[in-house]
Amino acid sequence: MRQDVATHAKDERQDALLLRGLGNKRLPGLAAAAVAVAVAWLIHTTVPVIPFLTASVMLGILSANLPGISTAVEGVLQPGLTLSAKRFMRLGIVLLGLKLSLIDVAALGWKTLAIVVGIVLLTFMGTLVLGKALKLPGDQPLLLATGFSICGASAIGAMSGVTKTDHRDTVVPIALVTLCGTLAIGVLPALKGPLGLDTVQFGYWVGASVHDVGQVVATAQTAGAAALAVALIIKLTRVLMLAPMVTGAALVGRFRGRRTANGAEDNGIKLPPLIPLFVAGFMAMIVVRTLGILPPVVLEVAGTVQDLLLAAALYGLGASVQIRSLLQTSGRAIIAALLSWGLIAALAFVGVHFI
């Protein structure tokens, strides 16, 4: 009896030491992510046209490819950056729900809402077909479809959490959706005049076609406050599609997992959850925002925390991007991304004229 107690106590001490050691290994990477977030914020403050989250991704990519720093990224910083890329992304997505109010969405009217949902679904299916036709590997077609149709890197992070995709395999989709969203900041305002769009129509177009919320702000504000207000409402309505799309992917994964389990000798295969915990949290935060039970100061603080978490996560993901290998192996993915970008821009432009 005493021997069993002593053995149990010894095992607990070893587990505690292991966890402490693991935590210590993560500290350098977490510290690097914190510094990168601060630098990204300074860049955004100095040059507002560069979105905060875009700056974070770009700093991560630079860190992974600059001599000297890249060695640390692949070595001592990797455990902390991996934690940041996975866990912080999910926490940030949960808090993203506090930016969405169902009342604002309902105020758009059924016609506008139907058009926005149609744009999301058509872009998703079109990109998925393009990715499969171009024979992109693994989950790349699904992740590209999610990122381009809904809300950029955040949507890719949410979908990869359901599909259990290794965070290193999300690098190409996130890099490409960030690239196209950044290009939109310069391209779309230049097309406003030639396409004959007034201020409000331009806001609708930006909100329905640009990927990340920060990129929407940077693009729409070039046409003034009215365009920005419309763009944000449309964009956040697209973000609302994140929950059903990710839940649908979880259902498909669960069905396939059950079929695999039924066809295997070992039926102990763990199925993915019906609704992932962070998606349930995201939906709960939407309800909280809709009920209006939180004061504005709490919403403001939550929004800041959400931006910081997503910035740290995107820095960690960007730090996985090896430009040389990206250029060598991702030609078809680049083609798929550019076609998807053109698809959503065209669908949104047509949709603007029906709103």
Side-chain angles (χ1 to χ4, degrees), residues 164-181:
K164 304 300 180 184
T165 305
D166 188 288
H167 83 280
R168 288 170 293 188
D169 295 330
T170 67
V171 164
V172 171
I174 284 179
L176 291 175
V177 79
T178 300
L179 171 64
C180 291

PDB file of all heavy atoms in Angstrom, residues 164-181:
ATOM      1  N   LYS A 164      -8.524  19.002 -38.034  1.00  0.00           N
ATOM      2  CA  LYS A 164      -7.301  18.524 -37.384  1.00  0.00           C
ATOM      3  C   LYS A 164      -6.088  18.625 -38.307  1.00  0.00           C
ATOM      4  O   LYS A 164      -5.167  17.810 -38.253  1.00  0.00           O
ATOM      5  CB  LYS A 164      -7.459  17.073 -36.897  1.00  0.00           C
ATOM      6  CG  LYS A 164      -8.645  16.857 -35.955  1.00  0.00           C
ATOM      7  CD  LYS A 164      -8.522  17.704 -34.715  1.00  0.00           C
ATOM      8  CE  LYS A 164      -9.712  17.481 -33.776  1.00  0.00           C
ATOM      9  NZ  LYS A 164      -9.666  18.361 -32.589  1.00  0.00           N
ATOM     10  N   THR A 165      -6.098  19.635 -39.162  1.00  0.00           N
ATOM     11  CA  THR A 165      -4.975  19.867 -40.059  1.00  0.00           C
ATOM     12  C   THR A 165      -3.781  20.389 -39.265  1.00  0.00           C
ATOM     13  O   THR A 165      -3.934  21.271 -38.420  1.00  0.00           O
ATOM     14  CB  THR A 165      -5.358  20.907 -41.132  1.00  0.00           C
ATOM     15  OG1 THR A 165      -6.549  20.471 -41.797  1.00  0.00           O
ATOM     16  CG2 THR A 165      -4.247  21.071 -42.158  1.00  0.00           C
ATOM     17  N   ASP A 166      -2.611  19.837 -39.533  1.00  0.00           N
ATOM     18  CA  ASP A 166      -1.397  20.337 -38.889  1.00  0.00           C
ATOM     19  C   ASP A 166      -1.239  21.816 -39.231  1.00  0.00           C
ATOM     20  O   ASP A 166      -1.445  22.226 -40.383  1.00  0.00           O
ATOM     21  CB  ASP A 166      -0.182  19.548 -39.389  1.00  0.00           C
ATOM     22  CG  ASP A 166       1.081  19.886 -38.597  1.00  0.00           C
ATOM     23  OD1 ASP A 166       1.600  21.006 -38.777  1.00  0.00           O
ATOM     24  OD2 ASP A 166       1.537  19.046 -37.806  1.00  0.00           O
ATOM     25  N   HIS A 167      -0.862  22.624 -38.223  1.00  0.00           N
ATOM     26  CA  HIS A 167      -0.809  24.072 -38.456  1.00  0.00           C
ATOM     27  C   HIS A 167       0.179  24.434 -39.555  1.00  0.00           C
ATOM     28  O   HIS A 167       0.036  25.453 -40.229  1.00  0.00           O
ATOM     29  CB  HIS A 167      -0.463  24.807 -37.152  1.00  0.00           C
ATOM     30  CG  HIS A 167       0.987  24.860 -36.826  1.00  0.00           C
ATOM     31  ND1 HIS A 167       1.650  23.791 -36.242  1.00  0.00           N
ATOM     32  CD2 HIS A 167       1.923  25.835 -37.016  1.00  0.00           C
ATOM     33  CE1 HIS A 167       2.924  24.123 -36.080  1.00  0.00           C
ATOM     34  NE2 HIS A 167       3.107  25.341 -36.538  1.00  0.00           N
ATOM     35  N   ARG A 168       1.181  23.588 -39.802  1.00  0.00           N
ATOM     36  CA  ARG A 168       2.143  23.863 -40.870  1.00  0.00           C
ATOM     37  C   ARG A 168       1.498  23.721 -42.245  1.00  0.00           C
ATOM     38  O   ARG A 168       1.951  24.332 -43.216  1.00  0.00           O
ATOM     39  CB  ARG A 168       3.336  22.913 -40.747  1.00  0.00           C
ATOM     40  CG  ARG A 168       4.253  23.247 -39.564  1.00  0.00           C
ATOM     41  CD  ARG A 168       5.265  22.165 -39.312  1.00  0.00           C
ATOM     42  NE  ARG A 168       4.610  20.939 -38.844  1.00  0.00           N
ATOM     43  CZ  ARG A 168       5.262  19.877 -38.392  1.00  0.00           C
ATOM     44  NH1 ARG A 168       6.584  19.882 -38.349  1.00  0.00           N
ATOM     45  NH2 ARG A 168       4.607  18.800 -37.983  1.00  0.00           N
ATOM     46  N   ASP A 169       0.433  22.926 -42.329  1.00  0.00           N
ATOM     47  CA  ASP A 169      -0.263  22.755 -43.599  1.00  0.00           C
ATOM     48  C   ASP A 169      -1.248  23.886 -43.882  1.00  0.00           C
ATOM     49  O   ASP A 169      -1.836  23.938 -44.965  1.00  0.00           O
ATOM     50  CB  ASP A 169      -1.001  21.411 -43.619  1.00  0.00           C
ATOM     51  CG  ASP A 169      -0.048  20.223 -43.568  1.00  0.00           C
ATOM     52  OD1 ASP A 169       1.082  20.378 -44.067  1.00  0.00           O
ATOM     53  OD2 ASP A 169      -0.422  19.174 -43.018  1.00  0.00           O
ATOM     54  N   THR A 170      -1.452  24.763 -42.907  1.00  0.00           N
ATOM     55  CA  THR A 170      -2.305  25.939 -43.145  1.00  0.00           C
ATOM     56  C   THR A 170      -1.507  27.116 -43.680  1.00  0.00           C
ATOM     57  O   THR A 170      -2.081  28.154 -44.009  1.00  0.00           O
ATOM     58  CB  THR A 170      -3.002  26.369 -41.830  1.00  0.00           C
ATOM     59  OG1 THR A 170      -2.020  26.861 -40.900  1.00  0.00           O
ATOM     60  CG2 THR A 170      -3.760  25.205 -41.201  1.00  0.00           C
ATOM     61  N   VAL A 171      -0.197  26.940 -43.764  1.00  0.00           N
ATOM     62  CA  VAL A 171       0.691  28.047 -44.127  1.00  0.00           C
ATOM     63  C   VAL A 171       0.376  28.594 -45.509  1.00  0.00           C
ATOM     64  O   VAL A 171       0.230  29.805 -45.698  1.00  0.00           O
ATOM     65  CB  VAL A 171       2.164  27.582 -44.051  1.00  0.00           C
ATOM     66  CG1 VAL A 171       3.072  28.559 -44.780  1.00  0.00           C
ATOM     67  CG2 VAL A 171       2.602  27.447 -42.609  1.00  0.00           C
ATOM     68  N   VAL A 172       0.266  27.718 -46.506  1.00  0.00           N
ATOM     69  CA  VAL A 172       0.026  28.167 -47.875  1.00  0.00           C
ATOM     70  C   VAL A 172      -1.320  28.884 -48.009  1.00  0.00           C
ATOM     71  O   VAL A 172      -1.371  30.005 -48.531  1.00  0.00           O
ATOM     72  CB  VAL A 172       0.119  26.983 -48.868  1.00  0.00           C
ATOM     73  CG1 VAL A 172      -0.342  27.408 -50.264  1.00  0.00           C
ATOM     74  CG2 VAL A 172       1.555  26.470 -48.933  1.00  0.00           C
ATOM     75  N   PRO A 173      -2.429  28.315 -47.521  1.00  0.00           N
ATOM     76  CA  PRO A 173      -3.704  29.037 -47.625  1.00  0.00           C
ATOM     77  C   PRO A 173      -3.683  30.397 -46.924  1.00  0.00           C
ATOM     78  O   PRO A 173      -4.206  31.374 -47.460  1.00  0.00           O
ATOM     79  CB  PRO A 173      -4.704  28.079 -46.950  1.00  0.00           C
ATOM     80  CG  PRO A 173      -4.097  26.731 -47.121  1.00  0.00           C
ATOM     81  CD  PRO A 173      -2.627  26.939 -46.998  1.00  0.00           C
ATOM     82  N   ILE A 174      -3.086  30.459 -45.733  1.00  0.00           N
ATOM     83  CA  ILE A 174      -3.062  31.732 -45.009  1.00  0.00           C
ATOM     84  C   ILE A 174      -2.188  32.757 -45.725  1.00  0.00           C
ATOM     85  O   ILE A 174      -2.553  33.937 -45.836  1.00  0.00           O
ATOM     86  CB  ILE A 174      -2.590  31.517 -43.557  1.00  0.00           C
ATOM     87  CG1 ILE A 174      -3.726  30.892 -42.742  1.00  0.00           C
ATOM     88  CG2 ILE A 174      -2.137  32.827 -42.908  1.00  0.00           C
ATOM     89  CD1 ILE A 174      -3.388  30.610 -41.308  1.00  0.00           C
ATOM     90  N   ALA A 175      -1.053  32.313 -46.244  1.00  0.00           N
ATOM     91  CA  ALA A 175      -0.177  33.234 -46.973  1.00  0.00           C
ATOM     92  C   ALA A 175      -0.886  33.791 -48.201  1.00  0.00           C
ATOM     93  O   ALA A 175      -0.792  34.990 -48.500  1.00  0.00           O
ATOM     94  CB  ALA A 175       1.112  32.523 -47.369  1.00  0.00           C
ATOM     95  N   LEU A 176      -1.629  32.954 -48.903  1.00  0.00           N
ATOM     96  CA  LEU A 176      -2.276  33.384 -50.138  1.00  0.00           C
ATOM     97  C   LEU A 176      -3.491  34.268 -49.873  1.00  0.00           C
ATOM     98  O   LEU A 176      -3.709  35.258 -50.584  1.00  0.00           O
ATOM     99  CB  LEU A 176      -2.690  32.159 -50.957  1.00  0.00           C
ATOM    100  CG  LEU A 176      -1.514  31.356 -51.535  1.00  0.00           C
ATOM    101  CD1 LEU A 176      -2.002  30.102 -52.236  1.00  0.00           C
ATOM    102  CD2 LEU A 176      -0.696  32.206 -52.494  1.00  0.00           C
ATOM    103  N   VAL A 177      -4.275  33.938 -48.857  1.00  0.00           N
ATOM    104  CA  VAL A 177      -5.435  34.784 -48.560  1.00  0.00           C
ATOM    105  C   VAL A 177      -4.978  36.138 -48.023  1.00  0.00           C
ATOM    106  O   VAL A 177      -5.610  37.171 -48.280  1.00  0.00           O
ATOM    107  CB  VAL A 177      -6.389  34.079 -47.571  1.00  0.00           C
ATOM    108  CG1 VAL A 177      -5.896  34.167 -46.146  1.00  0.00           C
ATOM    109  CG2 VAL A 177      -7.805  34.656 -47.670  1.00  0.00           C
ATOM    110  N   THR A 178      -3.856  36.155 -47.305  1.00  0.00           N
ATOM    111  CA  THR A 178      -3.295  37.421 -46.835  1.00  0.00           C
ATOM    112  C   THR A 178      -2.769  38.246 -47.998  1.00  0.00           C
ATOM    113  O   THR A 178      -2.977  39.467 -48.069  1.00  0.00           O
ATOM    114  CB  THR A 178      -2.156  37.161 -45.830  1.00  0.00           C
ATOM    115  OG1 THR A 178      -2.673  36.422 -44.722  1.00  0.00           O
ATOM    116  CG2 THR A 178      -1.568  38.467 -45.316  1.00  0.00           C
ATOM    117  N   LEU A 179      -2.096  37.585 -48.939  1.00  0.00           N
ATOM    118  CA  LEU A 179      -1.573  38.275 -50.114  1.00  0.00           C
ATOM    119  C   LEU A 179      -2.694  38.918 -50.925  1.00  0.00           C
ATOM    120  O   LEU A 179      -2.626  40.107 -51.265  1.00  0.00           O
ATOM    121  CB  LEU A 179      -0.794  37.282 -50.988  1.00  0.00           C
ATOM    122  CG  LEU A 179      -0.353  37.797 -52.369  1.00  0.00           C
ATOM    123  CD1 LEU A 179       0.640  38.947 -52.209  1.00  0.00           C
ATOM    124  CD2 LEU A 179       0.259  36.676 -53.200  1.00  0.00           C
ATOM    125  N   CYS A 180      -3.739  38.147 -51.220  1.00  0.00           N
ATOM    126  CA  CYS A 180      -4.836  38.678 -52.034  1.00  0.00           C
ATOM    127  C   CYS A 180      -5.607  39.773 -51.302  1.00  0.00           C
ATOM    128  O   CYS A 180      -6.017  40.771 -51.911  1.00  0.00           O
ATOM    129  CB  CYS A 180      -5.777  37.545 -52.438  1.00  0.00           C
ATOM    130  SG  CYS A 180      -5.046  36.373 -53.608  1.00  0.00           S
ATOM    131  N   GLY A 181      -5.791  39.603 -49.989  1.00  0.00           N
ATOM    132  CA  GLY A 181      -6.468  40.641 -49.216  1.00  0.00           C
ATOM    133  C   GLY A 181      -5.669  41.934 -49.175  1.00  0.00           C
ATOM    134  O   GLY A 181      -6.235  43.036 -49.208  1.00  0.00           O
TER     135      GLY A 181
END
